[in-house]
Amino acid sequence: MSFSSDEVNFLVYRYLQESGFQHSAYTFGIESHISQSNINGALVPPAALLSILQKGLQYTEAEISIGEDGTEQRLVESLSLIDAVMPDVVASRQNQQNQQKQAVKAEQSETNGEEAAVESTQSETMEVDVTIEIPSSKATVLRGHESEVFICAWNPTIDLLASGSGDSTARIWDMSDNTASPNQLVLRHCIQKGGTEVPSNKDVTSLDWNCDGSLLATGSYDGYARIWTSDGRLARTLGQHKGPIFALKWNKRGNYILSAGVDKTTIIWDAASGQCTQQFSFHSAPALDVDWQTNTSFASCSTDQCIHVCKLSMDKPIKSFQGHTNEVNAIKWDPQGQLLASCSDDMTLKIWSMKQDTCVHDLQAHSKEIYTIKWSPTGPGTHNPNMNLILASASFDSTVRLWDVERGFCIHRLTKHTEPVYSVAFSPDGKFLASGSFDKCVHIWSTQSGHLVHSYKGTGGIFEVCWNSRGDKVGASASDGSVFVLDLRKL
């Protein structure tokens, strides 16, 4: 048995990526020279580090529970990973097992060798009603990616689903004719090397369709943003960032693209020419997310714990918000561009207004990092004006919360997930919320009652969920390289 430090470093690097710690993964990758190793990442399965740790833990448990005579007795209490590396704990458990074996032998001799009946007190209850579970026959699983699929997004006008992966490709899947094996376009992200184009071998980290669905923008760890036509042709390559791009968004008009990168800057690009219109360098650490307020103003957040609101042609931020005590993972403007929501590793969700410097609400209810947030498409100025505006937050504490932002009040706590929740998305009418977790499940909830309506378990941890424009299909992307579509019309 042998392993190298390169192999250990690569597994740790992949674990950081799969856990959503993209900037930590980037820093670790640079310091450990991951790019110089000879490991083919496409061949390494998702969750490899956790898998090998689990096997090591099982070996340690087996070592404790098997006696010198070869007989086995189950551990009364399972070892934790930390217990397994502590010699005193392991020795103590071995002593407990030996004492139990002696006690069992004594009991068996007293009962003339008759086995005592063991009554199981453990009862398993179904968390989800059987009628709620979506059978695998009702899902279309899309195979083709060779690595984890971090993101997916529906075209706003027709049923084309875009996905972006660690295999340095984005793909466009045609889901309009409901065939079992839909047509896919492969968008290969290449870079110039020695006068020829070669695969970048870098993750596609972000993608977004423009307003009419004619163009798809992608951002990559190779530092380039790209614009593609809906038929898969590369239209523009946007090169100004010095390092990975973490997020990018089209404005509503579709004439500008906004991007955020590890180089601490945000850039507004002219979509028609592919030129950098303005670069903003106000953060002191990697910029993690951006969101347009209007067609020319936007907010950005960073690991520096700060949020800046900037405007095209302005030399300084028009507003800055400080209050988070750890990196800010995501920001989202409400449908009217009046309120800005932010979520952080400090476990808080904050609501900000351009009218004041301090936050309007400081919502502290989650017990772990909050990874992402989404506003409902409801309330004044939306297609659903008679429904209240609500905000959804997804956390590593395995829960989703729905908030009445006007009152700063949690309406529903959604608790069926058993692993970190990476993504939430509202249906176009605001009546349903989809959530995706690393427990491999996509849950669909009623936003009014908070009840679970549908549930589907895939084959990998879920990084992203999204609704099509009609609200009858949910797309999801997963850590095992799969993308799947749930057609709710069939349920």
Side-chain angles (χ1 to χ4, degrees):
M1 181 192 300
S2 67
F3 56 84
S4 66
S5 59
D6 277 353
E7 291 173 322
V8 174
N9 287 339
F10 185 81
L11 292 179
V12 171
Y13 169 74
R14 282 289 290 273
Y15 168 76
L16 290 170
Q17 278 191 322
E18 292 167 358
S19 299
F21 306 126
Q22 298 292 346
H23 41 286
S24 299
Y26 171 75
T27 303
F28 182 78
I30 293 296
E31 292 181 351
S32 57
H33 304 291
I34 289 294
S35 62
Q36 297 174 23
S37 71
N38 294 319
I39 299 168
N40 185 349
L43 300 179
V44 179
L49 180 62
L50 297 182
S51 176
I52 201 72
L53 286 173
Q54 181 68 38
K55 288 175 182 175
L57 185 58
Q58 289 171 340
Y59 177 87
T60 305
E61 286 187 343
E63 195 177 37
I64 293 172
S65 61
I66 296 175
E68 294 178 2
D69 57 359
T71 59
E72 179 182 0
Q73 180 156 326
R74 297 296 300 164
L75 285 174
V76 174
E77 185 181 347
S78 295
L79 281 174
S80 74
L81 192 59
I82 298 300
D83 286 344
V85 298
M86 297 176 68
D88 291 346
V89 173
V90 172
S92 172
R93 291 294 182 88
Q94 283 176 322
N95 289 334
Q96 288 177 21
Q97 291 300 103
N98 290 334
Q99 290 169 6
Q100 283 182 334
K101 287 172 185 172
Q102 295 301 323
V104 169
K105 286 180 180 177
E107 187 177 332
Q108 285 177 340
S109 64
E110 290 174 8
T111 57
N112 299 320
E114 294 177 6
E115 289 189 9
V118 179
E119 184 179 349
S120 175
T121 58
Q122 184 176 2
S123 63
E124 294 186 2
T125 57
M126 286 289 288
E127 280 288 324
V128 179
D129 189 288
V130 176
T131 58
I132 289 173
E133 291 188 18
I134 299 173
S136 56
S137 60
K138 302 293 185 184
T140 303
V141 180
L142 310 172
R143 300 283 183 185
H145 282 296
E146 298 170 0
S147 185
E148 55 271 276
V149 189
F150 299 115
I151 37 161
C152 58
W154 288 99
N155 184 294
T157 56
I158 53 178
D159 277 354
L160 298 177
L161 180 65
S163 56
S165 166
D167 65 7
S168 76
T169 73
R171 293 172 193 243
I172 298 175
W173 311 83
D174 187 352
M175 303 303 300
S176 56
D177 54 5
N178 298 311
T179 58
S181 54
N183 179 47
Q184 62 172 302
L185 299 171
V186 181
L187 316 182
R188 301 190 185 282
H189 287 57
C190 297
I191 54 173
Q192 291 286 334
K193 208 169 190 179
T196 60
E197 286 205 336
V198 297
S200 72
N201 293 323
K202 301 293 185 181
D203 302 348
V204 178
T205 57
S206 47
L207 49 78
D208 192 34
W209 291 96
N210 69 345
C211 52
D212 65 6
S214 60
L215 298 171
L216 176 72
T218 61
S220 169
Y221 249 64
D222 65 13
Y224 291 94
R226 295 171 174 86
I227 302 174
W228 312 78
T229 61
S230 59
D231 60 2
R233 182 176 55 84
L234 179 61
R236 295 274 184 275
T237 299
L238 318 178
Q240 181 86 9
H241 279 292
K242 292 179 173 59
I245 294 172
F246 289 142
L248 93 177
K249 302 269 177 63
W250 289 88
N251 67 350
K252 288 181 182 177
R253 190 181 298 156
N255 59 328
Y256 291 129
I257 295 171
L258 174 63
S259 60
V262 74
D263 61 6
K264 310 175 189 178
T265 74
T266 54
I267 296 176
I268 292 179
W269 307 87
D270 182 282
S273 66
Q275 297 300 307
C276 169
T277 302
Q278 188 170 352
Q279 188 163 12
F280 303 83
S281 305
F282 304 122
H283 287 294
S284 59
L288 298 183
D289 197 18
V290 284
D291 197 36
W292 291 98
Q293 180 191 25
T294 68
N295 280 307
T296 55
S297 62
F298 68 93
S300 61
C301 65
S302 164
T303 61
D304 67 8
Q305 308 175 14
C306 294
I307 299 165
H308 296 308
V309 182
C310 300
K311 189 176 177 63
L312 188 63
S313 303
M314 300 290 282
D315 294 334
K316 295 180 180 179
I318 55 176
K319 194 79 173 176
S320 292
F321 298 120
Q322 296 185 356
H324 282 295
T325 56
N326 208 326
E327 54 195 62
V328 186
N329 294 317
I331 47 173
K332 295 287 182 296
W333 289 100
D334 76 346
Q336 289 190 300
Q338 300 291 320
L339 298 174
L340 181 69
S342 61
C343 63
S344 167
D345 278 2
D346 67 11
M347 301 183 288
T348 73
L349 172 67
K350 299 186 192 299
I351 310 297
W352 311 87
S353 167
M354 295 294 285
K355 298 176 182 177
Q356 61 186 67
D357 294 331
T358 56
C359 61
V360 178
H361 294 296
D362 185 5
L363 306 174
Q364 303 181 30
H366 285 290
S367 58
K368 288 188 178 179
E369 298 93 330
I370 306 173
Y371 189 71
T372 194
I373 45 180
K374 290 284 173 62
W375 291 95
S376 63
T378 56
T382 71
H383 294 298
N384 312 294
N386 298 323
M387 294 176 64
N388 291 332
L389 176 66
I390 56 178
L391 182 69
S393 56
S395 170
F396 283 4
D397 66 11
S398 306
T399 71
V400 175
R401 287 179 179 264
L402 299 181
W403 303 87
D404 178 330
V405 176
E406 191 175 334
R407 295 182 291 169
F409 177 80
C410 181
I411 310 166
H412 298 297
R413 180 171 172 259
L414 313 179
T415 60
K416 299 293 187 186
H417 285 298
T418 58
E419 295 286 339
V421 185
Y422 279 88
S423 180
V424 285
F426 283 94
S427 61
D429 61 7
K431 292 180 180 178
F432 300 100
L433 180 82
S435 59
S437 161
F438 236 58
D439 63 9
K440 304 179 182 178
C441 290
V442 171
H443 292 330
I444 299 174
W445 316 80
S446 163
T447 56
Q448 300 300 304
S449 67
H451 292 155
L452 187 59
V453 179
H454 297 297
S455 181
Y456 176 79
K457 187 162 189 177
T459 52
I462 310 299
F463 279 120
E464 187 84 62
V465 290
C466 55
W467 294 81
N468 67 345
S469 59
R470 292 187 311 278
D472 56 23
K473 291 177 184 174
V474 173
S477 61
S479 63
D480 67 344
S482 65
V483 180
F484 59 85
V485 173
L486 306 175
D487 191 336
L488 304 183
R489 298 171 301 178
K490 297 179 180 179
L491 305 180

